[in-house]
Structures are given as C-alpha cells and as structure tokens.
Amino acid sequence: MTTTRIETLSLTDGRELRVTIAEPDSAVRGGLVVLHEARGITAGVRSLVSSLAAEGWLAIAPHLYDADRVHGDDIRDQVSKLSGDRLLEDTDVAFVWLGQQGVSADRMGVVGFDIGGTVAMVVAASRTIGAAVTVAGPGILEPLSEGLPALVDVASDLTCPWLGIYRDDDSEEVSKLRDAVISSETASDVVRFDVSSDEAWTRALNWFDAHMR
C-alpha cells in the first residue's frame, strides 16, 4: 500500500494547516482533495488517501479540525463550529498545493465522506475544478452548522460535475437533493446503494475518470 505522510502548509491568515498526503508511484492522473469524516483523520481516511494514490491520484487530505481526531461529545462540538469560509480556505490551500505539483485545475477534484461529503458539495458549488464526489453527506435540508448552507440550497450553484452517493435508507431527503441538482448547469447524478460496497468505490473512481481527462 502507498505510504502517507503529514505536512504543514501555511495559510494567508497566518494559520498552519496539517495535511495527509500520498503520492502515486507511477504517472499522476490528477489530484484529489480528500475531506474527512466527522471523527477527523482516522485510519480509514489514511487508507483511502493511500488507495487513491495507488490508483494514480495525487491525494491530499486537509485536517479540518485543530485536533487530528475527536471522540464522543467533541464530535458534535466540532461539527457545530464548521465555517464555510474557513473550510473553503483550507481546501483552497490544498488545491494550490496540487497546482504547485503540476496538476492543472481541470484535473483537480474533491471527494468527501460524511461531513466531508457535505463540504465537498459546498466546494463544488464554489470553485471551478474538474469534478466532485460526495459520499453520504448530511445537512441536505438543514445546515450542519450556522456556518454552512443546506445542500439543497447550493445544488443549483454547482460549477463542476458532481456525484452524490447515498445509502438506500436516505430516500426522502436524497430524493429532494436529486430534484434540486437538476437545475444546475453541470453534469450531476445521485445514486443510492450500500456506501461501503465495491460498487460505490468503483462509481466514484469512474466519475473522476470520466470528467478529469
């Protein structure tokens, strides 16, 4: 498995952003910003970053919390503090880093899981990149925090091809999200099945392959 490493990048506001990075052993197909789940940078997130690198993607995962991992009641507290402006600043830094490695904007993508999936759609409605994938992103009808929009409210603003992958039991809210993205002017799709399945992984990779050439 491709190894990961942690680097610290400087932001324009004086903050420092820790990122987990994995680089392909062969030619780079493009760059993917990976947005973590509610618990932070878990072993599963590091494994995902590594797996994407093994597929040929230069992968970078910003640490969106001050702490790498959170537990118990701290999870809800961290999620309630999420700010759209700060999250966009953090993902912008990751995109700049990818550009410094020679990845063009049309070959940059973002993929997020859980709260990271929510942020991935916000990014897809705010930045011009190659493609985006959201896996089980909450906050569809009601915002996750005061600093984030509900996903249905940004669906018509999508500026890059976006794929939403949700569980079968998320039917009513996901149906409303599907209806909302129809009004966007870019390619979009919402699919529902077991998000832990190989099919979901394949669908996400195929989305990036199709839209980031």
Side-chain angles (χ1 to χ4, degrees):
M1 182 176 291
T2 306
T3 59
T4 62
R5 69 178 188 274
I6 294 177
E7 291 190 8
T8 301
L9 306 178
S10 298
L11 283 76
T12 56
D13 63 2
R15 291 189 295 118
E16 291 186 333
L17 177 68
R18 285 162 57 83
V19 295
T20 293
I21 294 169
E23 300 186 40
D25 294 329
S26 55
V28 175
R29 306 170 66 175
L32 294 177
V33 175
V34 181
L35 301 175
H36 62 69
E37 58 175 295
R39 294 177 297 167
I41 301 293
T42 62
V45 173
R46 290 192 297 271
S47 176
L48 174 66
V49 171
S50 178
S51 296
L52 289 169
E55 294 286 341
W57 300 99
L58 179 57
I60 176 171
H63 297 207
L64 303 177
Y65 301 154
D66 292 332
D68 290 346
R69 286 287 308 275
V70 293
H71 307 273
D73 293 338
D74 290 338
I75 296 175
R76 181 176 298 178
D77 182 58
Q78 286 287 348
V79 172
S80 70
K81 294 177 180 177
L82 290 175
S83 160
D85 290 341
R86 175 167 172 171
L87 291 169
L88 287 173
E89 289 174 2
D90 291 353
T91 52
D92 282 348
V93 169
F95 289 131
V96 168
W97 183 85
L98 288 173
Q100 292 171 341
Q101 314 312 308
V103 179
S104 59
D106 61 337
R107 294 193 302 124
M108 294 181 191
V110 59
V111 55
F113 300 80
D114 185 40
I115 65 157
T118 305
V119 178
M121 189 171 183
V122 173
V123 172
S126 307
R127 299 292 184 264
T128 302
I129 53 176
V133 173
T134 288
V135 181
I140 295 176
L141 302 182
E142 297 292 334
L144 279 182
S145 71
E146 292 184 0
L148 285 173
L151 295 186
V152 292
D153 292 337
V154 299
S156 62
D157 299 327
L158 290 170
T159 57
C160 72
W162 173 83
L163 172 66
I165 300 175
Y166 283 88
R167 297 182 181 90
D168 284 334
D169 57 1
D170 291 336
S171 56
E172 183 177 354
E173 288 194 352
V174 175
S175 293
K176 292 181 179 179
L177 181 60
R178 177 187 283 115
D179 292 341
V181 300
I182 291 175
S183 61
S184 68
E185 296 182 356
T186 187
S188 61
D189 195 11
V190 177
V191 295
R192 290 186 294 204
F193 46 78
D194 180 358
V195 296
S196 65
S197 70
D198 291 339
E199 184 182 359
W201 170 253
T202 300
R203 188 72 69 97
L205 292 178
N206 287 345
W207 189 260
F208 289 123
D209 284 340
H211 297 286
M212 292 166 56
R213 296 179 181 274

